[in-house]
Amino acid sequence: MIMRSRILKFVVPIAVLGIGTLEWEKLAIAQMQQLTKSVQDFQRDEITQSSSIASYHKPTLTVAESETNSAEYYYNRGNDEHDAKNYKAALADLNKAIEINPDFAEAYLNRGNVYEDLGDKQAALSDYNRAIKLKPDYTITYLNRGIAYRHLGNNKLALADLNKAIEINPDFAEAYLNRGNIYGDLKDKQAALSDYNRAIEIKPDLAQAYLNRGVAYRDLGNNKLALADYNSAIKIKPDFAEAYLNRGNIYKDLGNNKLALADYNSAIKIKPDFAEAYLNRGNVYDDLKDKQAALSDYARAIELKPNYAITYYNRGIIKEILGNKSAALSDFETARYLSQRNTQLYNDAVEEINKLQK
């Protein structure tokens, strides 16, 4: 039977560049596409994950022991607390640094980063605005503010800030990377590719740029180039879970479930709480007729992301196939409730519910 196969694209193009050490943050932006393919009366999704870099670099601020009450002292200690994910302590120290020195642009920048981590986007924007007012040519702050705007769904302002960052520093690889992500949001795949190419030209070891370019190539139907980019990302960064996930998706596209399974296993080994990898591995297990292994992976994905509607839907399909109609109905009801903003998935869940209630 010919069914529609869904691809839920898990795109994580977040970079918060600031003053500090390397740190990751993620935002999932789900997009649905429909393809036509034969799948044994089973609709599923696959997760394609892209990402961007969050590269905090810390300037050297030497503080003598007699200066332990200086703004720089609290700034440095706040950075350390931020690196350790002690956000409240970081916020307290950065507040103190700003109290001592109200014109400390770097402190506003990093406090904005802390607010981002705490989910307070408006407070982050306010601090980025203040940092830019104090240092109008501070490229990192334009990048961070652009990402904050993107989080708030304002791609127009986000694009303006990334353009400004590139205008100030035409060799800012991370700015091209993140601008490429915005072009991807705007469905301008060629502009996205151009920016990813430029990011790689400037910084050939930027694994995230290869990953994101690979996602763009896959969207354009060029699995060969996508696979090459995922291979490059993994070569540069062997513990890059998202790259293994995406490469597994390519192998699955090519009908090689053995290699797909190996890559999903690698992604999970690197990142044991990677819900999307469990979901996609569950799909492969279903293809391999191992329904119990598929159910186990879907259960784990739900445990990690309880609000992930598509996983309930996929699990419901398998339960229906196995004859457990009441459990299947429960999963479809949950999928319907969680997918009210996703018309296609919502309608599919309703269709399955109606079928089971006849």
Side-chain angles (χ1 to χ4, degrees):
M1 182 176 180
I2 302 297
M3 301 289 291
R4 296 182 304 276
S5 172
R6 261 192 312 281
I7 297 178
L8 179 61
K9 183 182 292 185
F10 185 79
V11 184
V12 191
I14 287 191
V16 179
L17 283 173
I19 308 299
T21 58
L22 185 65
E23 183 168 330
W24 280 84
E25 180 186 11
K26 293 184 177 175
L27 175 68
I29 300 175
Q31 299 173 321
M32 303 302 296
Q33 288 181 328
Q34 293 183 45
L35 302 174
T36 301
K37 108 184 236 194
S38 176
V39 290
Q40 294 183 10
D41 197 23
F42 179 53
Q43 291 186 326
R44 71 189 48 174
D45 84 322
E46 291 177 351
I47 302 302
T48 301
Q49 183 163 9
S50 65
S51 77
S52 61
I53 191 165
S55 173
Y56 297 92
H57 70 270
K58 182 185 295 184
T60 301
L61 294 178
T62 304
V63 182
E65 187 172 345
S66 61
E67 297 174 339
T68 53
N69 285 322
S70 69
E72 289 78 9
Y73 169 79
Y74 287 105
Y75 165 82
N76 283 343
R77 195 172 73 174
N79 284 341
D80 291 339
E81 295 289 0
H82 191 190
D83 293 343
K85 301 187 185 302
N86 297 325
Y87 300 123
K88 290 185 178 180
L91 194 59
D93 277 342
L94 291 167
N95 286 341
K96 186 65 175 179
I98 290 168
E99 178 186 333
I100 296 170
N101 180 4
D103 294 329
F104 197 169
E106 291 80 3
Y108 285 102
L109 169 61
N110 273 18
R111 191 174 70 176
N113 295 337
V114 175
Y115 281 132
E116 275 278 338
D117 288 334
L118 291 173
D120 192 340
K121 308 302 182 185
Q122 293 299 334
L125 274 178
S126 178
D127 271 356
Y128 296 149
N129 289 339
R130 179 61 177 160
I132 287 171
K133 185 175 181 180
L134 291 166
K135 283 194 173 182
D137 60 349
Y138 206 8
T139 56
I140 294 173
T141 316
Y142 285 104
L143 177 59
N144 284 17
R145 190 174 70 176
I147 291 165
Y149 280 133
R150 188 169 185 267
H151 289 180
L152 293 169
N154 194 330
N155 278 331
K156 182 178 180 180
L157 290 179
L159 191 59
D161 271 350
L162 289 166
N163 286 340
K164 184 65 175 179
I166 290 168
E167 176 188 330
I168 296 170
N169 181 4
D171 294 325
F172 195 0
E174 289 79 7
Y176 287 101
L177 171 62
N178 283 281
R179 192 175 70 175
N181 294 337
I182 293 175
Y183 283 134
D185 289 348
L186 298 173
K187 311 299 182 185
D188 191 342
K189 300 299 181 183
Q190 292 302 327
L193 277 176
S194 178
D195 271 357
Y196 297 146
N197 289 339
R198 179 60 177 146
I200 289 168
E201 179 184 349
I202 295 167
K203 190 177 284 190
D205 62 347
L206 188 54
Q208 291 80 6
Y210 289 98
L211 175 61
N212 287 17
R213 190 175 69 175
V215 171
Y217 279 136
R218 186 173 188 246
D219 286 345
L220 292 170
N222 196 328
N223 280 345
K224 182 178 180 180
L225 290 179
L227 183 60
D229 272 349
Y230 299 150
N231 287 337
S232 294
I234 290 168
K235 183 177 180 180
I236 294 167
K237 188 178 179 183
D239 61 347
F240 202 171
E242 291 78 9
Y244 285 102
L245 175 75
N246 283 323
R247 193 174 70 176
N249 292 343
I250 293 290
Y251 285 137
K252 191 172 183 306
D253 287 348
L254 298 173
N256 194 329
N257 280 328
K258 182 178 180 181
L259 289 180
L261 190 61
D263 272 352
Y264 296 146
N265 287 340
S266 294
I268 289 168
K269 183 177 180 181
I270 294 166
K271 189 176 179 181
D273 61 350
F274 201 171
E276 293 73 23
Y278 286 101
L279 173 57
N280 284 13
R281 191 174 71 175
N283 294 340
V284 171
Y285 280 134
D286 180 70
D287 284 348
L288 297 173
K289 316 298 183 186
D290 191 342
K291 305 295 186 187
Q292 293 304 320
L295 285 175
S296 177
D297 271 355
Y298 293 150
R300 179 59 175 150
I302 288 170
E303 180 183 348
L304 292 166
K305 284 198 172 181
N307 295 324
Y308 217 1
I310 190 64
T311 317
Y312 290 97
Y313 181 86
N314 283 10
R315 189 174 69 172
I317 291 289
I318 291 187
K319 288 179 177 179
E320 183 180 0
I321 292 171
L322 295 176
N324 192 342
K325 292 187 177 182
S326 62
L329 183 61
S330 176
D331 275 347
F332 292 138
E333 291 279 8
T334 303
R336 179 181 65 175
Y337 174 76
L338 294 173
S339 63
Q340 295 181 38
R341 294 185 179 181
N342 184 330
T343 303
Q344 181 63 55
L345 181 57
Y346 179 87
N347 290 339
D348 288 343
V350 169
E351 182 179 341
E352 293 296 331
I353 291 168
N354 291 339
K355 184 170 68 174
L356 288 173
Q357 289 179 335
K358 286 182 179 179

